[in-house]
Amino acid sequence: MKAGKAGVASALLASVCCLGPLLLVAIGLGSGAAFIGRYHWFFVSAAIAVLAWAWVKHFREKARCACERRVMDGRGMSLLTLLLASAIVLAFAALNISSYVFASSPPAAAPGTNAKLQRVAIPIKGMNCATCEFAVRNALKRVDGVASAHVSVATRTATVDYEPAKTDPKQLVSAINSTGYRASVPRK
């Protein structure tokens, strides 16, 4: 049954990099989200290593029981736990990889839709995963005057449409920096 517990541990490790930052952003500790985000590949790699060890442990115990001609205790539950843990670990790994592979570009500005809006592309350092995008986008949308915000981990930029009468790029950069990631006012 140790294999099942290791499987649960691997699923928890994989979820720390994605669910942990979301939880921290939700309670207002965005800088903690950036800290965890920096090490997301460590968590995913550790989860994969623990999961591999769990599967090895499961099959060794199964082989030992077969040699001793006895039934493996909790075999069905251990196998189910490992299969679920594998699905969770792979899902979180895929989420992180998809942020880079399927990077979307910012929406094209429709000419004449709102003459009061300006667009700025702000470079951001420290973003590594889909959760990073969520934290930054959430912070930008709370700024009064922001009409839309598109954040991309692949390009490490935030493209923001805003009303210059209500906010400016310095305030947008400040909002991003409050999440723990590092942004700077773009040069013209």
Side-chain angles (χ1 to χ4, degrees), residues 11 16 26 28 40 49 73 75 79 94 98 107 110 118 120 122 126 135-136 139 141-143 147-148 155 165 170 174:
V16 165
H40 79 283
D73 293 333
R75 182 183 78 197
L79 183 60
S98 69
Q118 287 189 2
V120 63
I122 302 170
V136 172
K141 286 186 176 184
R142 286 191 305 237
V143 175
S148 69
T155 61
K170 287 182 183 177
S174 178

Side-chain angles (χ1 to χ4, degrees), residues 123-178:
I124 305 170
K125 293 180 182 175
M127 288 196 316
N128 297 304
C129 63
T131 305
C132 303
E133 292 176 353
F134 174 79
V136 172
R137 185 172 33 255
N138 189 31
L140 286 167
K141 286 186 176 184
R142 286 191 305 237
V143 175
D144 186 36
V146 171
S148 69
H150 176 81
V151 182
S152 172
V153 70
T155 61
R156 288 183 168 78
T157 60
T159 304
V160 185
D161 293 325
Y162 66 97
E163 293 180 45
K166 293 183 177 181
T167 190
D168 61 22
K170 287 182 183 177
Q171 289 177 333
L172 300 174
V173 166
S174 178
I176 294 169
N177 289 340
S178 73

Side-chain angles (χ1 to χ4, degrees), residues 34-173:
F35 178 77
I36 290 174
R38 284 186 201 111
Y39 300 104
H40 79 283
W41 286 115
F42 168 78
F43 288 110
V44 171
S45 299
I48 291 169
V50 170
L51 184 63
W53 178 79
W55 278 106
V56 167
K57 189 87 173 145
H58 174 79
F59 286 119
R60 281 186 181 163
E61 188 174 341
K62 184 178 176 184
R64 190 177 72 242
C65 288
C67 286
E68 295 173 1
R69 296 179 193 261
R70 66 178 176 91
V71 177
M72 183 175 159
D73 293 333
R75 182 183 78 197
M77 186 57 107
S78 177
L79 183 60
L80 178 63
T81 303
L82 287 174
L83 288 172
L84 286 172
S86 297
I88 290 169
V89 170
L90 290 174
F92 282 118
L95 177 68
N96 285 309
I97 292 169
S98 69
S99 297
Y100 293 99
V101 175
F102 301 111
S104 60
S105 57
T113 54
N114 193 343
K116 290 191 272 182
L117 293 180
Q118 287 189 2
R119 177 172 279 191
V120 63
I122 302 170
I124 305 170
K125 293 180 182 175
M127 288 196 316
N128 297 304
C129 63
T131 305
C132 303
E133 292 176 353
F134 174 79
V136 172
R137 185 172 33 255
N138 189 31
L140 286 167
K141 286 186 176 184
R142 286 191 305 237
V143 175
D144 186 36
V146 171
S148 69
H150 176 81
V151 182
S152 172
V153 70
T155 61
R156 288 183 168 78
T157 60
T159 304
V160 185
D161 293 325
Y162 66 97
E163 293 180 45
K166 293 183 177 181
T167 190
D168 61 22
K170 287 182 183 177
Q171 289 177 333
L172 300 174
V173 166

